[in-house]
């Protein structure tokens, strides 16, 4: 049996530590990024991270992993733009 | 040196696994709870969890720990009600 590191028992995980560092696994692509909002597509839909002074500390899409630091205000899944088309539509606004 | 289990290196942490189970450490009190919204006070302010079919699976305030299961839609910190008075005001709405 081979172990595929890309598909562990959980496929998508978010860890927020002390509201200042956030590790997200199961990331498919980074949609957009500025200091107030990071939008990414994950295994479980489009994820929007809101905060202040946000900074992408690590990004490794081979490992489906992003680390964001900054003051985290909230995280939400955007079910209205679950697919790539939806993500694209956001960019075109 | 004694080790206080209540104050590890991180004081407040959120872990969301596959959008369906959420473990929160550093919880001071549970404010309110129904299947669409769980409000709690944490070391880093009031935290609002929104979702569908939310269920508190574990609650241990001695360990400052809550486990919520259900479809997680979003998590946000309510900076306008950072203190207990603010949390109370939410209940009085």
């Amino acid at each position: 049996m081979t172990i595929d590191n890309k598909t562990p028992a959980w496929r998508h995980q978010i860890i927020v530590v002390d509201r200042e560092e956030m590790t997200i696994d199961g990331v498919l692509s980074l949609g957009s990024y500025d200091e107030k909002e990071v939008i990414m597509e994950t295994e479980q839909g489009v994820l929007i991270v809101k905060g202040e002074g946000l900074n992408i500390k690590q990004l490794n899409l081979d490992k489906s992993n992003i680390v964001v630091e900054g003051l985290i205000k909230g995280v939400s899944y955007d079910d209205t733009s679950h697919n790539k088309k939806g993500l694209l539509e956001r960019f075109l606004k």
Side-chain angles (χ1 to χ4, degrees), chain A:
Chain A
M1 194 182 112
T2 55
I3 295 169
D4 180 355
N5 287 329
K6 285 183 190 172
T7 51
W10 41 264
R11 300 179 71 183
H12 169 51
Q13 182 174 265
I14 303 172
I15 302 177
V16 184
V17 178
D18 261 349
R19 208 181 155 174
E20 63 187 20
E21 190 176 281
M22 181 176 215
T23 303
I24 303 150
D25 291 307
V27 177
L28 302 176
S29 64
L30 178 64
S32 72
Y33 155 59
D34 64 31
E35 62 164 12
K36 292 193 169 177
E37 193 177 67
V38 182
I39 301 177
M40 65 195 81
E41 203 188 359
T42 76
E43 301 273 2
Q44 299 282 335
V46 172
L47 184 74
I48 303 167
V49 179
K50 292 193 176 179
E52 279 175 18
L54 297 179
N55 187 35
I56 295 179
K57 202 175 165 186
Q58 284 179 41
L59 168 65
N60 188 334
L61 290 184
D62 280 343
K63 291 185 177 175
S64 305
N65 177 265
I66 288 182
V67 180
V68 177
E69 61 180 8
L71 179 69
I72 311 293
K73 291 195 156 187
V75 186
S76 58
Y77 290 93
D78 185 358
D79 291 323
T80 57
S81 57
H82 200 109
N83 52 40
K84 284 199 177 177
K85 193 182 163 205
L87 190 55
L88 254 179
E89 277 165 4
R90 286 189 65 96
F91 297 146
L92 297 175
K93 265 179 197 168

